[in-house]
Amino acid sequence: MKTISAKDIKKNSTKLNNMALETTEKVVLKSIDKAEELQEFTAKSIKKTLDFSEKQQDKLFNNLEKSKKMIWSKLNKGLDFFSKK
């Protein structure tokens, strides 16, 4: 029967500890990389959405301005018609 010495226990414990540290480091670094990729994707998506919203808002206000001009034009024609005697 083989006896286990304190030296062997220390050596094996150090190996296991180093392996655990390396594995943990890999997991943390991989997680950080994935988080950075997700952050970049999210930033691009938000920018695209805001650009689209800006264009839609510009279209809306341009159409409102055109409608306002048309309404004032029609109103002025109606007022001119009724003010003539």
Side-chain angles (χ1 to χ4, degrees):
M1 183 171 175
K2 184 177 179 182
T3 59
I4 300 173
S5 69
K7 196 175 191 180
D8 288 338
I9 292 174
K10 183 178 177 184
K11 186 172 103 177
N12 288 336
S13 295
T14 304
K15 268 187 190 178
L16 287 173
N17 189 40
N18 286 338
M19 188 169 37
L21 287 172
E22 288 173 10
T23 304
T24 303
E25 184 179 13
K26 286 178 185 176
V27 168
V28 168
L29 291 176
K30 186 89 167 172
S31 297
I32 290 171
D33 288 343
K34 290 295 180 187
E36 287 175 349
E37 290 173 9
L38 182 60
Q39 187 176 13
E40 288 175 19
F41 173 78
T42 304
K44 286 178 185 177
S45 296
I46 290 172
K47 184 175 179 349
K48 285 180 184 177
T49 302
L50 291 175
D51 288 345
F52 176 75
S53 295
E54 178 186 13
K55 288 176 185 173
Q56 292 300 102
Q57 186 177 6
D58 286 345
K59 285 180 184 177
L60 172 71
F61 284 114
N62 287 339
N63 286 333
L64 287 173
E65 192 64 35
K66 287 178 188 175
S67 297
K68 183 174 85 172
K69 287 177 184 176
M70 184 185 72
I71 289 170
W72 278 111
S73 170
K74 301 282 184 186
L75 181 64
N76 285 334
K77 284 181 184 177
L79 291 174
D80 287 345
F81 178 76
F82 286 113
S83 65
K84 292 181 183 177
K85 292 186 179 185

